[in-house]
Amino acid sequence: MLAGYQEEKENFMEINLKTNQSLMKAIKKMHTLVESPDVEKQRASQENISGIFSKSKDMKYKNFEIDGIPAEWVSVDRRHMKKYVILYCHGGGYNTGSFRYARSITNKLASTTSMDVLSFDYRLAPECPFPAALEDAVKVWDHLMHFGYGARDVIVAGDSAGGNLALNLVQVLKGQGRILPRGIILFSPWTDLTKSGKSHEQKAEIDPILSEEYIDKAIQDYAQGRELNNPYISPLFADFTGFPPTYIQVGENEILLSDSLNLQKRLRKYHVQVQLDFYSGMWHVFQMSPFKTAYDAMDQMAEFIFDICR
């Protein structure tokens, strides 16, 4: 009986591996549709893809501006929690992305937590390199404070470069001696622009989303010759003393895997409450995809938020 069970288990694992490999090939093929050496074309392609995958009759969007920064509130079209809000920083390597592109995640955030989500379009590189995006994030934070929310009512979240921005925003608030947000949520955060992590080599052949060429271009556009170990460019090197509880999700098959694993170690060094969930077979910001693992991951994220909001 035991031998039969073991054989069945091995067959299932083989089928699951083949399915995952096929899925990653499909993801890579879809991602190539939006890749372009022309940054304007890539931004436009992202917007078009977002329009296809982010439509939902169950969501409400309220567009407005914060001191010239395009922004939107994303909320579920039903009774929901008003006390806490999520401030979301979109990804895109700091040179692409928008709050519309981020709806594939902000929709899930709002739906899963029943909280309103504020997402915004920070200025992009290379036209507006560091520290433009960070300056915009601080303005959006100030808007929330003036709008009547307390710092402890806000969870700051972001994916990829948006995870970088979320960490840097909290660094700025800490440096200004201000009250910090209740928590931080990070999906595949880009924390180390020096590329010191081992996963840059170990995952280079299997990552269906990111390539070293893409990352190098993003670094060049955003940092433009500045020191890459500056903690406001690579937050992995920050002093995390006093940081709020932090939750990280990362996929097994991504070049930036080390960015998350090393961040977890660094946060623990500073005695920050941190939880990292590692998703076998997954890729960079897999939460954007409309399939079960992505929704399960969002449920795990919501549990963390509910726990710190008690």
Side-chain angles (χ1 to χ4, degrees), residues 8-214:
E8 182 179 346
K9 181 180 178 182
E10 289 174 358
N11 289 339
F12 173 79
M13 290 175 66
E14 184 178 353
I15 292 170
N16 193 49
L17 178 62
K18 290 179 179 178
T19 300
N20 188 62
Q21 288 174 339
S22 298
L23 185 56
M24 286 209 299
K25 286 180 181 178
I27 292 293
K28 187 168 187 174
K29 187 174 182 179
M30 182 178 294
H31 190 67
T32 57
L33 295 176
V34 300
E35 285 185 338
S36 171
D38 186 323
V39 70
E40 288 296 339
K41 288 183 178 179
Q42 185 165 340
R43 291 170 185 170
S45 296
Q46 283 184 342
E47 292 291 314
N48 292 335
I49 292 290
S50 175
I52 296 172
F53 290 102
S54 302
K55 290 182 179 179
S56 175
K57 296 179 181 178
D58 301 324
M59 309 305 299
K60 294 192 299 184
Y61 308 102
K62 181 182 178 182
N63 297 151
F64 64 107
E65 287 193 354
I66 300 169
D67 195 15
I69 302 168
E72 77 171 6
W73 282 104
V74 180
S75 58
V76 289
D77 193 10
R78 63 174 186 266
R79 291 185 64 184
H80 58 280
M81 187 184 303
K82 293 291 186 178
K83 177 174 173 52
Y84 299 105
V85 296
I86 298 170
L87 174 59
Y88 196 77
C89 306
H90 71 75
Y94 277 121
N95 54 13
T96 67
S98 68
F99 64 69
R100 289 183 178 83
Y101 179 62
R103 283 178 182 171
S104 55
I105 286 188
T106 55
N107 284 355
K108 294 185 183 84
L109 275 170
S111 179
T112 307
T113 64
S114 290
M115 295 177 183
D116 291 337
V117 179
L118 176 58
S119 187
F120 62 101
D121 285 0
Y122 50 82
R123 287 170 290 168
L124 298 174
E127 302 94 325
C128 301
F130 174 84
L134 184 53
E135 292 170 348
D136 291 349
V138 173
K139 286 181 181 179
V140 175
W141 175 269
D142 290 341
H143 171 81
L144 274 178
M145 299 303 100
H146 296 151
F147 199 68
Y149 289 100
R152 300 287 295 164
D153 301 327
V154 183
I155 293 95
V156 176
D159 70 274
S160 196
N164 180 300
L165 184 56
L167 289 166
N168 289 335
L169 170 60
V170 179
Q171 280 196 81
V172 169
L173 298 176
K174 176 188 167 185
Q176 294 176 347
R178 302 172 70 173
I179 300 173
L180 302 186
R182 182 166 288 270
I184 303 173
I185 304 294
L186 304 171
F187 304 111
S188 301
W190 189 26
T191 68
D192 180 9
L193 276 66
T194 72
K195 304 199 306 181
S196 64
K198 295 179 180 179
S199 58
H200 280 274
E201 293 184 6
Q202 294 172 342
K203 305 296 180 179
E205 298 300 318
I206 59 175
D207 189 324
I209 301 294
L210 299 180
S211 67
E212 289 301 317
E213 182 181 7
Y214 172 88

Side-chain angles (χ1 to χ4, degrees), residues 167 182-186 189 191 240 243-250 259-277 304 307-308:
L167 289 166
R182 182 166 288 270
I184 303 173
I185 304 294
L186 304 171
T191 68
F240 292 111
F243 254 54
T246 301
Y247 178 64
I248 307 165
Q249 290 184 350
V250 66
D259 288 51
S260 289
L261 299 179
N262 291 336
L263 176 63
Q264 180 191 36
K265 293 177 184 177
R266 183 86 172 171
L267 288 167
R268 284 176 172 169
K269 175 183 175 181
Y270 286 92
H271 307 291
V272 177
Q273 177 189 335
V274 57
Q275 176 181 333
L276 183 146
D277 281 346
F304 180 86
D307 186 55
I308 64 174

